[in-house]
């Protein structure tokens, strides 16, 4: 049987400026984490330390350890699951190979060899700049040369990320010893037909003995089958009658089946392969209709409105992201009502732990190929690397039922058409051949059970603008960059794959990241941790459309920018969900952060939930109630994504901001399963001016409509009582209290509240549960409560 020996111990890292200086190295890991552990660089996440460690990415680095020859097997392979990025591998001075792709694994025959194993990393800058010198300039959204090297693009910096260009053995390395033959790869093609789950396992082997007769055995529970290996290939099929289906969360259970494959010579088991699969059918409806060209995911015949978030690498040093950390972050997504996670193209193909967690949590995965915001050369040496990484990762990720869509790139088709690339390129290659040629061919050949789309955004063909909202996927960035969030209501895209609004991280996260700094929106550390072009200016302009800017009051600024982020995203999702099935999904930019930064994330770089995260629970719930202006009046919209129908009586109240109820009415609606219904709001309860607002209550659901911006509303001075309650606090309002927020991390850094923004009418109360609060105190809780206040 194949024997695998992890090579995690005994590594050293040689410092490039001193041939005799060595450091202990952690594998998997990277240069920055080893230097941090040795105390040789400051934490680049704190203050402006990022700039102090920029030199690391410009140097060469060498990892070394002793390698002893294996015995008792015919062949010994040295296997690297990931090398970041351009490296030469030597064993006792003999070159085993040279590599230049972070997104691939590598295997070297070291049979009978032993001695000093050396992995010598070139600077990623040097490699990228050499390729640029050979192939010529290509435009990109950033000045860094990320499009010339197959490396995580955002390690070169992004509008939410630091520039920390590292190197290292970032995924596991091991010795594999085997005889006769080994399993090289298994492609499981999983389908469902008439209630029967079918798995066609295409098995490739590598041989050390050409003449050996080999068979492959497979089983799922009690279902077993056997096939013959013809040369280096074999096929075995399993049928599972009455197979339970795998469903995304909210639609059913996540039934998973263990598949085992064994390579056999005579009676001897040579190698094994084990994965968990799920039986489900996946479709993507891109048919034309009266509204344009659709983009609707279909799972097991069920058409979905996708409730999504964009995922970036959870750490700029991805080797630090453990299985537990993946699980925590993805559980936070599921807790927010998310059912789809898009793995964005400026990052990586994530580890098995990510996709396994998605399988078990019922989170659909939209996987980008790693291309983002740049023109990518299609010549060698990049073209061969792109094909090799695509082939490897398509096969690697195929077993996961959560994976439902392959996407060619992020914003590059759009960039070619709109960002001035076309004239600058003057006919040079820029990636179109990857997105419309190579990648769809690889997916069709290796993984025909899943759909492929050429890019995000993409209208389906060059007959339409790549970011045309009426066709395919759309990225909505005029809002935030140029216009207020009411701009979301101006159109109904078929699928909104990116949109969002910035806010700073939690207060405790800022305090940790900027120790000792007198915090202000434009203090040095805050500016360093704001990477977006004119980010603070956009935050200010967005705030001033709704509130008086709180000059000199950082705490109010911090709270109000959080409120604005949640309201902005709510404006988009409420509008687009209310237009199902024309609009078939929203993917918020973004779920997470890779360091402490002001960004579009719902969860900050320290893992703390912003108010947006809690707001997503309401916005992405199966049932959503919203009010919108149309046809000169107001309409109540009930969005029902549940499996059953929804009939409800709704109490509508026209309320004065001073407190009294000025009018009331009752309406009823019925919304079918996975359907939307609209009810006109009676004229007598439509608010008249900035002093009034509308409240719609349907059971536990509430929708609010304020007809004016906050700076125009004559709010009363908020009055409320705070008392301790078991596990938290209770707040009782005496006046209108709008967007009340307990910033629990101001009580203690580890404290978390179970809810975000809540609006209370006079006499109403809310209990907020708080975990991680060691010394509950009502006065302290009051100091951590914020709400909208009257304009001074």
């Amino acid at each position: 049987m194949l024997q695998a020996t992890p090579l995690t111990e005994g590594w050293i890292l040689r410092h490039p400026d001193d041939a005799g200086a060595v450091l202990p190295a952690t594998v998997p890991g990277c240069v920055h984490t080893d230097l941090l552990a040795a105390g040789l660089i400051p934490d680049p996440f704190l203050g402006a330390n990022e700039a102090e460690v920029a030199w690391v990415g410009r140097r060469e680095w060498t990892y070394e350890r002793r390698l002893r020859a294996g015995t008792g097997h015919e062949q010994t392979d040295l296997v690297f699951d990931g090398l970041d990025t351009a490296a030469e591998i030597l064993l006792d001075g003999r070159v085993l190979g040279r590599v230049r792709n972070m997104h691939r694994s590598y295997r070297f025959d070291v049979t009978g060899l032993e001695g000093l194993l050396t992995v010598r990393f070139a600077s990623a800058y040097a490699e990228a700049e050499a390729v640029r010198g050979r192939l010529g300039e290509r435009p990109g959204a950033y000045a860094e040369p990320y499009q010339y090297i197959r490396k995580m693009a955002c390690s070169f910096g992004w509008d939410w990320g630091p520039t920390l260009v590292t190197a290292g053995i970032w995924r596991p390395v091991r010795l594999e010893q085997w005889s006769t033959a080994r399993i090289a790869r298994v492609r499981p093609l999983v389908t469902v037909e008439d209630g029967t789950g079918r798995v066609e396992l295409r098995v490739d082997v590598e041989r050390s003995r050409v003449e050996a007769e080999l068979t492959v055995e497979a089983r799922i529970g009690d279902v077993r089958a056997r096939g013959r290996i013809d040369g280096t290939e074999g096929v075995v099929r399993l049928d599972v009658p009455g197979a339970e289906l795998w469903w995304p969360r909210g639609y059913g259970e996540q039934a998973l089946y263990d598949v085992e494959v064994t390579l056999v010579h005579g009676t001897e088991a040579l190698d094994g392969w084990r994965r968990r699969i799920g039986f489900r059918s996946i479709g993507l409806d891109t048919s034309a209709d009266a509204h344009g060209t659709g983009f609707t995911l279909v799972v097991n015949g069920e058409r979905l409105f996708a409730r999504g978030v964009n995922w970036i690498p959870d750490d700029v040093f991805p080797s630090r992201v453990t299985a537990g950390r993946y699980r925590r972050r993805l559980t936070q997504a599921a807790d927010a009502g998310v059912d789809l996670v898009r793995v964005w193209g400026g990052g990586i193909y994530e580890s098995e732990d990510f996709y396994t967690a998605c399988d078990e949590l019922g989170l659909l995965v939209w996987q980008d190929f790693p291309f983002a915001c740049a023109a990518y050369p299609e010549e060698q040496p990049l073209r061969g690397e792109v094909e090799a990484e695509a082939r490897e990762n398509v096969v690697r990720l195929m077993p996961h039922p959560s994976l439902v869509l392959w996407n060619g790139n992020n914003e590059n088709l759009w960039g070619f058409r709109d960002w001035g690339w076309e004239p600058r390129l003057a006919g040079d290659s820029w990636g179109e051949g990857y997105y419309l040629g190579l990648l769809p061919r690889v997916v069709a050949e290796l993984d025909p059970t899943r759909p492929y789309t050429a890019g995000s955004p993409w209208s389906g063909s060059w007959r339409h603008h790549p970011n045309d909202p009426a066709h395919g996927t759309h990225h909505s960035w005029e809002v935030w960059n140029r216009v207020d969030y009411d701009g979301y209501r101006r159109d109904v895209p078929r699928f909104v794959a990116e949109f969002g609004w910035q806010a700073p991280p939690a207060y405790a996260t800022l305090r940790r990241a900027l120790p000792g700094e007198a915090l202000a929106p434009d203090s040095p550390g805050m500016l360093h941790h704001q990477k977006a072009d004119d980010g603070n200016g956009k935050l200010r302009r967005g705030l001033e459309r709704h509130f008086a800017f709180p000059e000199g009051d950082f705490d109010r600024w911090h709270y109000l920018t959080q409120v604005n982020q949640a309201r902005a995203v709510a404006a988009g999702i409420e509008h687009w969900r209310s237009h199902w099935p024309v609009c078939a999904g929203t993917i918020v930019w973004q779920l997470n952060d890779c360091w402490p930064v002001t960004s579009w994330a719902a969860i900050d770089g320290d893992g703390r939930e912003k108010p947006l995260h809690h707001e997503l629970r309401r916005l992405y719930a199966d049932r959503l109630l919203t009010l919108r202006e149309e046809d000169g009046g107001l309409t109540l919209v009930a969005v029902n994504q549940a499996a059953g129908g929804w009939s409800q009586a709704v109490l509508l109240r026209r309320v004065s901001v001073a407190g009294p109820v000025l009018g009331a009415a009752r309406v009823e609606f019925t919304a079918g399963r996975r359907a939307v219904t609209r009810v006109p709001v009676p004229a007598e309860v439509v608010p008249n001016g900035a002093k009034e607002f509308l409240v719609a209550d349907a059971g536990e659901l509430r929708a609010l409509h304020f007809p004016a911006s906050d700076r125009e509303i004559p709010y009363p001075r908020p009055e409320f009582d705070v008392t301790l309650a078991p596990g938290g606090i209770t707040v009782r309002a005496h006046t209108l209290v709008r967007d009340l927020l307990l910033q629990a991390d101001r009580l203690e850094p580890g404290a978390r509240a179970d809810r975000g923004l809540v609006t209370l009418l006079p006499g109403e109360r809310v209990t907020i549960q708080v975990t991680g609060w060691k010394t509950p105190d009502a006065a302290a809780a009051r100091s951590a409560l914020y709400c909208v206040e009257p304009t001074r």
Side-chain angles (χ1 to χ4, degrees), residues 762-776:
E764 292 184 336
R765 68 183 65 201
V766 64
T767 296
I768 304 171
Q769 298 295 315
V770 184
T771 57
W773 191 15
K774 299 174 185 176
T775 55

Side-chain angles (χ1 to χ4, degrees), residues 21 103 120 133 147 266 342 382 393 456 464-465 495 514 560 602 620 641 643 696 713 755-756 775 778:
H103 305 302
R120 184 179 299 145
Q147 66 267 52
R342 175 191 172 208
L382 293 176
N393 284 285
S456 184
H464 307 290
H465 188 281
F495 194 108
L514 306 175
L560 290 175
Y620 276 165
Q641 209 161 344
I713 298 173
R755 67 182 62 219
T775 55

Side-chain angles (χ1 to χ4, degrees), residues 436-514:
L436 299 178
L438 172 64
L439 296 175
R441 284 198 301 271
V442 169
V443 172
E445 173 193 341
L446 298 177
D447 188 17
T449 68
R450 288 181 178 88
Y452 170 88
T453 184
S456 184
W458 179 233
S459 59
S461 81
W462 287 115
R463 293 192 303 271
H464 307 290
H465 188 281
N467 200 29
D468 187 334
H471 300 277
T473 51
H474 177 69
H475 289 193
S476 181
W477 285 117
E478 283 296 298
V479 171
W480 164 254
N481 281 322
R482 294 174 185 84
V483 302
D484 192 29
Y485 54 74
D486 63 1
Y488 288 139
R489 303 186 182 101
R490 297 175 189 171
D491 53 32
V492 182
R494 305 311 303 270
F495 194 108
V496 189
E498 280 190 22
F499 72 105
W501 198 274
Q502 270 201 351
Y507 184 79
T509 299
L510 288 173
R511 273 276 143 254
R512 186 190 70 82
L514 306 175

Side-chain angles (χ1 to χ4, degrees), residues 484-635:
D484 192 29
Y485 54 74
D486 63 1
Y488 288 139
R489 303 186 182 101
R490 297 175 189 171
D491 53 32
V492 182
R494 305 311 303 270
F495 194 108
V496 189
E498 280 190 22
F499 72 105
W501 198 274
Q502 270 201 351
Y507 184 79
T509 299
L510 288 173
R511 273 276 143 254
R512 186 190 70 82
L514 306 175
E517 180 164 313
L519 294 177
D522 58 354
S523 59
M526 288 294 296
L527 289 178
H528 187 80
H529 289 249
Q530 165 61 276
K531 296 296 187 178
D533 182 33
D534 190 30
N536 270 17
K538 293 171 185 176
L539 278 174
R540 179 171 189 134
R541 290 189 292 276
L543 205 57
E544 288 179 332
R545 295 182 181 109
H546 300 274
F547 302 97
F549 193 83
E551 298 286 358
D553 189 341
F554 177 81
D555 291 342
R556 289 303 295 172
W557 175 86
H558 181 265
Y559 160 74
L560 290 175
T561 51
Q562 300 268 359
V563 170
N564 229 30
Q565 181 188 39
R567 288 196 194 172
V569 171
I573 293 178
E574 288 185 358
H575 175 67
W576 295 320
R577 279 194 73 182
S578 73
H579 284 89
W580 161 261
V582 176
C583 180
T586 56
I587 309 182
V588 178
W589 187 268
Q590 64 214 61
L591 174 70
N592 57 326
D593 269 326
C594 64
W595 76 314
V597 65
T598 296
S599 84
W600 298 262
I603 302 167
D604 74 19
D606 282 5
R608 294 185 174 91
E609 299 94 351
K610 297 181 186 179
L612 171 59
H613 176 270
H614 297 282
E615 182 69 352
L616 285 175
R617 289 186 185 175
R618 180 183 72 85
L619 297 168
Y620 276 165
D622 281 349
R623 290 174 173 172
L624 173 68
L625 205 64
T626 183
L627 292 156
R628 74 180 191 211
E629 297 177 354
E630 60 181 14
D631 300 327
L634 281 180
T635 298

